[in-house]
Amino acid sequence: MTDLVGTDPQYDVFADDFLDHAENSLHNAHYDRPFCLELLGDVEGKTVLDVACGPGLYAEELVARGARVSGFDQSPRMIELSGQRVPSGEFRVHDLARPLDWIEDGSVDLVLFALALDYVDDRVAALRELRRVLRADGALVLSRLHPTGDWMRNGGSYFDERVIDEVFSRGWQVRHWFVPLEKTCEELHEAGFLIERLREPRPSPLAKDVNPETYRRLCREPAGFLAIRAVPDPRR
């Protein structure tokens, strides 16, 4: 496989537009964020690493719930927006293709990795780094495009891993991986995780007022995201 997503910070060119959209959009505010936060559980007093933190929307809520938050993103503009939104957080520009060399082993209580796994070429290496920085009793919460919905939109073989060029929402052009659910589970296993919970979210009731048609579709079809809580495998 020679086709890769690469390390270009794709979201940098529309970072401000993304913030304007994601702050109150159905898919972000009433679908992904509530379920990721639910899987993280009580974060009071916890150290949370926000991977691919975007404009700081998750970090803002985590700090409001009592967490100590640090984060990183490929996009310099996203980091600027995060810092403005969450002054108490610690944010830096960093590509997950490189080691998290400023974070000590076993120093993080929780890792949030929301809607960014699909943009990573070497996912096992990235997940191993997240496993390394987690405490033994910590947890990783990640969300990704639901592979069934991805397949429904793009066709082809469900089992063929491939890079897809797609246009999202407001005309944003993005390049991401399509991989079946089995592959994500295997990659977590290879990286030293055990899957504790796997959720196929439905949007919150508030989403019905934002977009009734999308709300109804996401309540009956796996066309959006899925979310996983994984813990370090004590046997490895």
Side-chain angles (χ1 to χ4, degrees), residues 4-117:
L4 300 173
V5 169
T7 58
D8 180 59
Q10 300 182 67
Y11 279 66
D12 200 59
V13 295
F14 51 81
D16 293 82
D17 194 32
F18 177 82
L19 172 57
D20 179 66
H21 166 79
E23 189 166 10
N24 296 299
S25 73
L26 187 156
H27 281 86
N28 298 95
H30 304 297
Y31 186 42
D32 187 66
R33 282 206 300 276
F35 272 85
C36 284
L37 292 166
E38 177 191 321
L39 287 178
L40 284 170
D42 182 8
V43 298
E44 178 73 36
K46 300 281 182 71
T47 301
V48 183
L49 177 64
D50 189 357
V51 178
C53 60
L57 293 169
Y58 298 85
E60 180 180 41
E61 183 60 34
L62 289 166
V63 167
R65 297 183 183 201
R68 299 183 300 275
V69 178
S70 62
F72 64 88
D73 199 284
Q74 281 182 315
S75 161
R77 180 55 182 158
M78 288 293 195
I79 292 303
E80 290 177 4
L81 293 169
S82 290
Q84 292 166 12
R85 192 169 201 90
V86 190
S88 65
E90 298 181 3
F91 303 100
R92 66 169 65 198
V93 178
H94 183 79
D95 192 319
L96 195 52
R98 295 186 287 113
L100 308 177
D101 51 14
W102 74 96
I103 306 179
E104 296 181 2
D105 294 3
S107 61
V108 175
D109 294 309
L110 295 164
V111 172
L112 172 64
F113 191 8
L115 300 179
L117 182 69

Side-chain angles (χ1 to χ4, degrees), residues 38-40 140 194-199 227-231:
E38 177 191 321
L39 287 178
L40 284 170
L140 162 71
L194 291 173
I195 294 175
E196 188 175 75
R197 298 178 68 190
L198 189 154
R199 298 291 306 275
I228 294 172
R229 179 181 169 101
V231 296

Side-chain angles (χ1 to χ4, degrees), residues 42 48 52 56 72 84 95 99 132 142-143 147 161 178 189 196 200 211 221:
D42 182 8
V48 183
F72 64 88
Q84 292 166 12
D95 192 319
R132 178 185 67 78
L142 71 83
S143 59
E161 300 167 40
F178 169 80
H189 169 73
E196 188 175 75
E200 295 175 298
N211 188 320
E221 296 179 10

Side-chain angles (χ1 to χ4, degrees), residues 148-167:
T148 303
D150 228 357
W151 173 64
M152 289 165 62
R153 288 195 313 277
N154 293 286
S157 167
Y158 173 80
F159 295 104
D160 286 347
E161 300 167 40
R162 59 194 185 276
V163 172
I164 293 172
D165 290 290
E166 198 165 0
V167 178

